[in-house]
């Protein structure tokens, strides 16, 4: 029961993450804060009708009740909800308001955080954000926090650098060809294809089949 239950609990993680939560097809990493020229280069490659958004992402330490965990912080405008579906079960989670944060469920469970709790996030320069948890959303690949740009600007005194972009690719386009074209832009450091990330996670999940076999085999021996 434990072996098969373990497999059934995680077998649909990839489909859930990359079909219901992750709504973008490409993540574009720029060398620094995106300028008008850099954004124009991106539009030239993807086309003016292709949905995209610029956003900030950085690594931060999340502290709650004297426990700390390193996670990614994402900050973007209201357009973010078109690229990441924030929900828990069938309930939608609104984007955080000023001095609020939305956390992914993994880090919330690891640190025992609930909606309404106060947490602190620090970047590599030890700048701190004091925030109230306004929501916890379902997410199973990496741990994230979502904060509004207004919150960062108010508490740190400067607006966050928009050094990344989400891109949605139409069904008629080849995502790998477009990703390769974007990577040729001089100021682009890297391009991540969501489909490739899904395949990587799926291969990791497939490796758990061996764990299930071992558990069932050992359980059988114990029963005998």
């Amino acid at each position: 029961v434990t072996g098969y239950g373990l497999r059934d609990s995680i077998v649909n993680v990839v489909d859930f993450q990359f079909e219901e939560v992750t709504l973008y097809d490409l993540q574009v990493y720029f060398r620094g804060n995106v300028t008008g020229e850099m954004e124009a280069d991106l539009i030239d490659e993807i086309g003016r009708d292709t949905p995209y958004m610029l956003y900030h992402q950085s690594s931060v330490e999340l502290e709650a009740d004297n426990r700390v965990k390193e996670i990614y912080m994402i900050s973007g405008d209201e357009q973010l909800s078109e690229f990441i579906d924030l929900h828990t079960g069938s309930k939608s989670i609104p984007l955080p308001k000023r001095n609020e944060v939305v956390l992914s469920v993994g880090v919330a469970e690891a640190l025992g955080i609930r909606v309404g709790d106060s947490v602190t996030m620090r970047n590599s320069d030890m700048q701190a954000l004091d925030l109230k948890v306004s929501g916890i959303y379902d997410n199973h690949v990496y741990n994230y926090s979502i904060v509004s740009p207004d919150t960062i600007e108010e508490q740190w005194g400067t607006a966050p650098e928009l050094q990344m972009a989400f891109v949605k690719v139409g069904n008629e386009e080849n995502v790998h060809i477009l990703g390769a074209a974007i990577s040729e832009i001089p100021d682009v450091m890297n391009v991540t294809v969501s489909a490739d990330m899904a395949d990587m996670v799926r291969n990791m999940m497939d490796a758990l089949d061996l764990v299930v076999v071992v558990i069932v085999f050992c359980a059988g021996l114990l029963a005998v």
Side-chain angles (χ1 to χ4, degrees):
V1 170
T2 300
Y4 288 118
L6 173 67
R7 186 180 188 281
D8 290 343
S9 297
I10 62 176
V11 68
N12 294 321
V13 164
V14 176
D15 293 338
F16 172 81
Q17 180 69 38
F18 293 96
E19 293 181 10
E20 297 184 20
V21 178
T22 300
L23 306 181
Y24 55 87
D25 299 298
L26 297 170
Q27 270 184 306
V28 183
Y29 299 71
F30 291 90
R31 297 186 186 278
N33 194 31
V34 177
T35 63
E37 183 179 352
M38 293 160 65
E39 185 174 4
D41 289 340
L42 176 65
I43 295 174
D44 287 342
E45 292 294 344
I46 66 177
R48 294 191 174 276
D49 295 331
T50 300
Y52 79 96
M53 74 164 289
L54 302 176
Y55 69 100
H56 170 85
Q57 179 174 305
S58 58
S59 179
V60 296
E61 287 187 342
L62 175 67
E63 180 181 344
D65 292 332
N66 296 319
R67 290 185 292 176
V68 178
K69 193 171 183 66
E70 189 168 326
I71 62 174
Y72 292 108
M73 178 179 71
I74 292 177
S75 182
D77 57 23
E78 293 80 6
Q79 196 180 359
L80 185 63
S81 59
E82 300 175 17
F83 295 85
I84 301 177
D85 190 339
L86 301 177
H87 64 270
T88 175
S90 58
K91 179 183 177 182
S92 296
I93 303 295
L95 290 171
K97 298 178 182 179
R98 192 182 295 270
N99 296 325
E100 292 182 342
V101 61
V102 171
L103 298 175
S104 58
V105 64
V107 68
E109 291 181 348
L111 298 182
I113 298 172
R114 298 181 179 179
V115 174
D117 288 351
S118 296
V119 299
T120 299
M121 294 197 306
R122 293 183 177 87
N123 63 7
S124 57
D125 296 325
M126 299 306 295
Q127 291 176 298
L129 291 173
D130 296 317
L131 307 164
K132 179 180 179 181
V133 179
S134 63
I136 297 172
Y137 76 102
D138 293 339
N139 188 82
H140 296 284
V141 179
Y142 300 121
N143 291 312
Y144 292 97
S145 63
I146 298 175
V147 181
S148 72
D150 291 341
T151 296
I152 295 176
E153 185 170 9
E154 178 181 316
Q155 296 198 29
W156 287 355
T158 57
E161 286 191 347
L162 305 180
Q163 83 285 40
M164 300 187 65
F166 289 134
V167 179
K168 285 184 180 180
V169 180
N171 295 329
E172 69 281 359
E173 294 186 76
N174 186 305
V175 65
H176 290 94
I177 293 177
L178 182 58
I182 294 173
S183 65
E184 295 298 322
I185 298 175
D187 293 300
V188 170
M189 292 179 59
N190 186 38
V191 177
T192 299
V193 179
S194 295
D196 292 343
M197 180 67 71
D199 290 339
M200 182 187 74
V201 176
R202 187 176 289 108
N203 290 335
M204 293 170 60
M205 296 297 102
D206 290 342
L208 287 172
D209 287 342
L210 178 60
V211 176
V212 174
V213 170
V214 171
I215 292 176
V216 173
F217 178 73
C218 292
L221 289 180
L222 288 172
V224 172

